Amino acid sequence: DVQLVESGGGSVQAGGSLRLSCEASGYTVSSYCLGWFRQAPGKEREGVARIDSDGSLRYGDSVKDRFIIYKDKNTLYLQMISLKPEDTGMYYCAAQDCAVQALGMMDVHYWGQGTQVTVS
């Protein structure tokens, strides 16, 4: 099994910054590609950013140039700047099959519990 524990969410004003963290553990964690998803109230969960197995980075169109995903050992980070009210939502860390070559919900094997981000 893989365990994913997010932290770092909170409430900020528009234009502010936050950094989310996800501590990943488990015997098979290195077998997956880690990424961030989010879900706004009343909307479907969407991919935000992901690190591919070759180190390539994927970003959703709405967060490019504002969010940065990176990893340090077994901790995944999402640095968010210039936050907008539409970035509000629950942010989830996920472990996904690396064969998935897109930023989407396919073949996500593990989810964290989520951390709330509110931008006003």
Side-chain angles (χ1 to χ4, degrees), residues 7-12 18-20 80 83 88-89 115-119:
S7 61
S11 296
V12 296
L18 281 174
R19 188 179 75 164
L20 307 183
M80 307 184 292
L83 282 161
T88 294
T115 185
Q116 178 68 37
V117 171
T118 303
V119 185

Side-chain angles (χ1 to χ4, degrees), residues 27-113:
Y27 181 71
T28 60
V29 66
S30 60
S31 301
Y32 300 96
C33 286
L34 300 181
W36 290 96
F37 291 75
R38 69 184 180 188
Q39 188 165 18
K43 294 189 176 181
E44 293 186 353
R45 196 171 295 188
E46 63 175 355
V48 175
R50 199 189 87 161
I51 303 177
D52 285 355
S53 56
D54 64 357
S56 300
L57 307 180
R58 297 180 187 268
Y59 292 99
D61 289 340
S62 64
V63 306
K64 283 180 182 177
D65 302 323
R66 298 189 299 120
F67 290 10
I68 298 173
I69 186 172
Y70 62 99
K71 189 169 172 284
D72 183 8
K73 295 182 181 178
N74 280 348
T75 301
L76 183 72
Y77 298 95
L78 186 69
Q79 178 67 55
M80 307 184 292
I81 66 170
S82 302
L83 282 161
K84 304 175 181 180
E86 50 264 44
D87 295 318
T88 294
M90 187 70 79
Y91 282 68
Y92 298 91
C93 180
Q96 187 174 34
D97 190 332
C98 292
V100 175
Q101 295 293 306
L103 191 61
M105 296 279 290
M106 302 77 70
D107 293 326
V108 172
H109 291 253
Y110 298 95
W111 294 98
Q113 83 286 354

